Amino acid sequence: MSPDSSSSSSPPNSSASPEGSDAAARSSDTSVVASSRGGRQPLSRRGHFKSRMGCFNCKRRRVKCNELRPQCSPCRRLALDCSYPPTPTPAASPIRSNPSMLSLEDLRFYHQFITTAIPPLPVKAERGWMECAAMSHEYDFLAHAVLGLGASHLTRHTNADFNSQALQHRLVAIKQVNEQLSNPPSSQQSLDAILAALFCLITQASLIDDGLADYMTIIRGGHLIVIVIIGDMSKSVFPGFTVEGHDSMSQQLTREDQRDDMTDMNNFAVSLQLLEPLIQAPYEHRYYGMMLQIPYAMQRSSLDAWRMFSNLFRFPATFSNEEFIELVNPENYGSRLLLIHMFLVDYVVAAICLSPDTPIRAPARKHVIIKWARSATSSMPQEYKRYTTWIDSYCDKLEQTTDCRHLFTP
């Protein structure tokens, strides 16, 4: 899953997400197991440069061409057919055709990915992620997913704002992954590339202010793809991404000592029990029952609590499409409260299970989870406010603490 190196400790960027066209595009960000409404957008190239290989239209009009492909910005704006002169290729060094035009910013995003933004899931999969990073030049959808995650990670952990570029890469990655899944490949490498792209998209969703539904949707899609399409993970670059493999790695990382302070876990249990009258549908009862087992599992051992949480994370893959759509419906307040409790108990369990010297990855993720929680509670009718007391108080506590370890979830 994740390398042990901690990410940059620069203050998270807490500025609001871009509005206008970016916000509208983000709202169309859909599941990787359904059609994406986001159209492909050319990759951004920023900064002043002299156009030497501009398109024919720009040369004819004597304007600067930004050389974006397949269509430069001036041609796109004027709805012109964009074509370029052939690119000279050195005879001694053939150049492989690349569908993506990378900018210097993209190189920065890629560097951020391979150094600090690698997804934490699967656990301890550094070697597999380096193989996937090397594979990204062969799979355009994986390259976009990698660059999108790198851009979002930089935005959240530095003072830079790459939200527009991150969203652009994300929309293209989702569209192209959906195209791949419409006719799934048979080669193990191609399947690994799809799985790696999904991990990147999930992790990126955890850095997006309004990404809760996308996060849950792609997690569900990822599990279904592993179960239905891939099946045998033994030949994958992520051979440990199985229930048994994850449990084995969890056992190596879990501490069983110093479980004295159970205050947050007990308060979580009390808050969860208050939700029972809101639980109506059969799928909600199953989800609620599994979540309610976490405090009891913690009484037995930290490892049991971690395993129970992992099962909870996988569980939406068992829901029907109709049940899952209702689970992530923001107006289904019972389900929304369940989901927020799940996201927060991740931090409660990790504080008990993981050693204090466990590296903290993506500290800005904590602030996004808090935003999801506060957005959910603030939008609920007054009669539901009594169910949000623990959520609000624990978010206050989480906001103030520098300890934001979570259970190696994206």
Side-chain angles (χ1 to χ4, degrees), residues 61-285:
R61 296 173 56 238
R62 295 186 179 180
V63 298
K64 184 173 67 176
C65 179
N66 59 9
E67 299 179 23
L68 289 181
R69 299 179 188 238
Q71 188 177 36
C72 71
S73 296
C75 287
R76 185 174 70 250
R77 187 177 66 254
L78 298 173
L80 299 174
D81 291 334
C82 188
S83 59
Y84 289 85
T87 302
T89 303
S93 179
I95 298 177
R96 183 185 62 81
S97 175
N98 190 335
S100 299
M101 293 292 292
L102 296 180
S103 68
L104 291 178
E105 280 181 349
D106 290 325
L107 297 179
R108 185 178 180 186
F109 303 156
Y110 184 80
H111 178 265
Q112 183 75 4
F113 173 81
I114 63 175
T115 55
T116 59
I118 287 176
L121 194 69
V123 174
K124 298 289 185 181
E126 297 92 337
R127 180 176 178 180
W129 276 113
M130 290 302 100
E131 289 187 39
C132 288
M135 285 161 44
S136 63
H137 78 284
E138 300 182 49
Y139 299 94
D140 201 26
F141 60 86
L142 177 56
H144 283 289
V146 163
L147 296 175
L149 174 55
S152 289
H153 201 277
L154 269 171
T155 298
R156 283 294 178 183
H157 295 93
T158 69
N159 292 324
D161 183 357
F162 296 112
N163 277 308
S164 178
Q165 296 91 325
L167 178 59
Q168 200 172 55
H169 283 301
R170 180 174 180 80
L171 291 175
V172 176
I174 289 177
K175 180 178 184 294
Q176 293 183 349
V177 167
N178 282 330
E179 291 169 354
Q180 291 290 314
L181 294 177
S182 65
N183 185 21
S186 57
S187 74
Q188 184 64 56
Q189 178 174 290
S190 297
L191 292 172
D192 281 338
I194 293 174
L195 189 59
L198 291 176
F199 282 133
C200 291
L201 291 168
I202 294 168
T203 307
Q204 186 186 14
S206 72
L207 299 174
I208 297 175
D209 286 346
D210 56 356
L212 188 156
D214 292 332
Y215 183 89
M216 293 299 300
T217 300
I218 302 178
I219 280 181
R220 179 174 184 263
H223 283 302
L224 291 174
I225 288 168
V226 169
I227 295 169
V228 177
I229 298 179
I230 299 180
D232 181 13
M233 294 291 295
S234 62
K235 296 180 181 179
S236 168
V237 295
F238 302 123
F241 189 62
T242 61
V243 173
E244 298 76 17
H246 184 77
D247 287 350
S248 176
M249 292 305 304
S250 302
Q251 187 169 9
Q252 296 177 37
L253 295 167
T254 304
R255 62 169 186 165
E256 290 296 339
D257 58 335
Q258 299 179 359
R259 294 171 52 241
D260 301 328
D261 188 359
M262 296 283 288
T263 303
D264 289 332
M265 180 59 71
N266 292 334
N267 290 340
F268 161 78
V270 171
S271 178
L272 191 61
Q273 289 168 353
L274 287 175
L275 301 183
E276 188 170 9
L278 304 179
I279 306 305
Q280 302 295 328
Y283 78 89
E284 290 178 321
H285 280 287

Side-chain angles (χ1 to χ4, degrees), residues 265-408:
M265 180 59 71
N266 292 334
N267 290 340
F268 161 78
V270 171
S271 178
L272 191 61
Q273 289 168 353
L274 287 175
L275 301 183
E276 188 170 9
L278 304 179
I279 306 305
Q280 302 295 328
Y283 78 89
E284 290 178 321
H285 280 287
R286 299 197 305 272
Y287 203 46
Y288 174 79
M290 183 171 290
M291 197 178 303
L292 197 59
Q293 290 302 309
I294 294 177
Y296 296 106
M298 184 63 77
Q299 294 175 3
R300 297 191 297 271
S301 73
S302 298
L303 180 59
D304 281 353
W306 189 341
R307 285 172 172 166
M308 186 58 64
F309 178 83
S310 299
N311 289 336
L312 186 70
F313 225 71
R314 304 180 190 109
F315 200 55
T318 68
F319 294 174
S320 69
N321 288 338
E322 292 75 15
E323 289 173 335
F324 183 77
I325 290 172
E326 189 60 22
L327 174 71
V328 297
N329 179 2
E331 295 183 0
N332 182 347
Y333 300 121
S335 287
R336 184 50 51 109
L337 287 166
L338 277 179
L339 288 176
I340 296 302
H341 275 74
M342 184 196 74
F343 285 119
L344 293 180
V345 79
D346 186 351
Y347 288 91
V348 176
V349 176
I352 301 172
C353 287
L354 300 179
S355 170
D357 59 2
T358 302
I360 297 175
R361 292 187 52 81
R365 177 189 187 272
K366 177 188 74 171
H367 297 278
V368 174
I369 298 300
I370 291 172
K371 284 187 177 181
W372 291 358
R374 294 200 189 284
S375 175
T377 57
S378 65
S379 63
M380 289 186 179
Q382 187 60 39
E383 59 266 29
Y384 287 87
K385 297 298 183 182
R386 63 186 295 261
Y387 303 108
T388 68
T389 303
W390 175 78
I391 292 175
D392 294 333
S393 63
Y394 186 69
C395 282
D396 289 340
K397 177 178 180 178
L398 198 59
E399 212 160 29
Q400 298 302 318
T401 182
T402 57
D403 184 357
C404 51
R405 290 166 293 158
H406 54 95
L407 296 172
F408 294 90

